[in-house]
Amino acid sequence: VAQLLSQTNTDGVQSSLLLSLDGALLACSGYTADTDARVLAAIAANLWDTMERCSVNGGGGGGNSSSSVGGPSSGVGAGAASSQAPAGLQDMTVVCTNGSLYIAYVSSILLCLYANATVPLGMLRLKAAKLADSLRDPISQITGK
Amino acid sequence: MDSLRRFLESYLSQVDGLSAILLSDRDGVGLMSAAQPECQWAVEAVVKRGLVPGFCQAAEQAGKLGVGPASAFVTNYGQMTIVLLSCQPLVVTLIGQPDCNIGAMTGLLKDRAFSEQLRRLQQVLPQESGDAAGGSGPVRV
């Protein structure tokens, strides 16, 4: 898995992580500067949870948050819909002064890409989409979701 | 107020896929909004769901990533894409279609007229101290 994740760590993308929805680090590849990868995973999961709770979709309910209103989502790459997807939120990008963080839901876990300021947001999303497409089926087989 | 609303409404047709603009403070209290008639429900949902306070809370957390303060969030909720821009003490919420032009939305603060309007509002609103979320400068794209 780490080798697969490392394929996106080029041209400014510094690290790629797989983490559970509760913030546990599952796999990591790359350089996370002064931040421990486990801390980065915990922060990413917290960011995801915070924004997912505020889901504003107008569709039906579902997902892992009983307080949000939203429909099932397919995550990055618009593949087969997952009945266990978080309500509404499919992916999010955090733009900071000196870098960016991209988080996407892939088959019941989160994919997180950590990049410096030189990476265009579109490229970050595209890399994540391609990586997610590669990971979706194997993860689905493992998690059974 | 009407002129400000008309000013915001002008951007709804300029930015591809942009459905609504909401200006609020960091507590989510709306100051001004402009929306296409069929998307007014989205603005109300953003306020009701507390998306802006959630963004501010998350932005404070994101400041601990080690890459500087967070200035914007781009969230894809499936049926809509929401861009939140931090313009302390304001928060600009842009609600768009799933296929909206995200680059144009995140670059809205670089628009001279738009940033000038925001600057005027920032001057009349009380500043908050000790804030870790973003700044009033243009969003890096």
Side-chain angles (χ1 to χ4, degrees):
Chain A
V1 175
Q3 191 174 8
L4 180 60
L5 294 177
S6 68
Q7 294 180 7
T8 60
N9 297 341
T10 59
D11 296 328
V13 180
Q14 296 184 334
S15 64
S16 305
L17 299 88
L18 285 177
L19 52 142
S20 64
L21 289 171
D22 56 7
L25 182 64
L26 301 175
C28 173
S29 175
Y31 170 69
T32 58
D34 296 332
T35 306
D36 188 285
R38 289 167 295 179
V39 174
L40 178 58
I43 294 174
N46 192 21
L47 295 178
W48 179 270
D49 184 66
T50 300
M51 300 309 294
E52 195 269 334
R53 288 176 182 274
C54 303
S55 178
V56 295
N57 266 10
N64 62 357
S65 174
S66 60
S67 62
S68 63
V69 177
S73 61
S74 58
V76 175
S82 168
S83 60
Q84 300 299 321
L89 185 59
Q90 297 188 6
D91 58 75
M92 60 181 289
T93 308
V94 179
V95 182
C96 299
T97 308
N98 300 320
S100 302
L101 189 73
Y102 180 82
I103 309 169
Y105 179 86
V106 181
S107 300
S108 78
I109 65 174
L110 298 179
L111 170 66
C112 177
L113 266 62
Y114 180 80
N116 61 29
T118 63
V119 181
L121 297 184
M123 181 56 71
L124 191 61
R125 289 167 64 101
L126 184 59
K127 284 188 172 184
K130 293 302 180 183
L131 187 56
D133 286 343
S134 300
L135 292 170
R136 184 169 291 109
D137 287 342
I139 293 174
S140 297
Q141 292 177 8
I142 295 173
T143 60
K145 296 181 180 178
Chain B
M1 295 289 284
D2 286 341
S3 64
L4 179 58
R5 179 174 286 109
R6 285 194 297 270
F7 174 78
L8 295 178
E9 287 175 349
S10 68
Y11 284 90
L12 298 182
S13 57
Q14 292 181 28
V15 179
D16 190 23
L18 181 59
S19 301
I21 302 175
L22 170 65
L23 301 182
S24 60
D25 65 5
R26 294 173 52 75
D27 294 325
V29 178
L31 300 175
M32 178 60 63
S33 68
Q36 295 175 354
E38 65 275 14
C39 298
Q40 186 62 40
W41 68 270
V43 175
E44 296 169 357
V46 165
V47 175
K48 184 177 179 181
R49 298 299 306 167
L51 187 63
V52 172
F55 160 68
C56 294
Q57 179 185 352
E60 189 174 353
Q61 284 284 318
K64 302 176 183 177
L65 290 171
V67 288
S71 57
F73 275 31
V74 179
T75 55
N76 177 12
Y77 285 106
Q79 294 184 14
M80 67 181 74
T81 297
I82 299 179
V83 176
L84 299 117
L85 307 173
S86 178
C87 309
Q88 195 174 342
L90 291 171
V91 174
V92 180
T93 304
L94 306 171
I95 303 170
Q97 301 298 318
D99 57 350
C100 63
N101 190 329
I102 296 175
M105 292 165 71
T106 55
L108 207 55
L109 291 184
K110 297 180 181 177
D111 182 272
R112 188 174 179 179
F114 193 87
S115 60
E116 177 63 24
Q117 285 290 343
L118 285 184
R119 189 186 64 81
R120 293 177 182 176
L121 284 174
Q122 287 171 328
Q123 288 178 341
V124 298
L125 290 176
Q127 295 288 333
E128 296 178 18
S129 61
D131 202 320
S136 57
V139 174
R140 179 190 66 81
V141 176

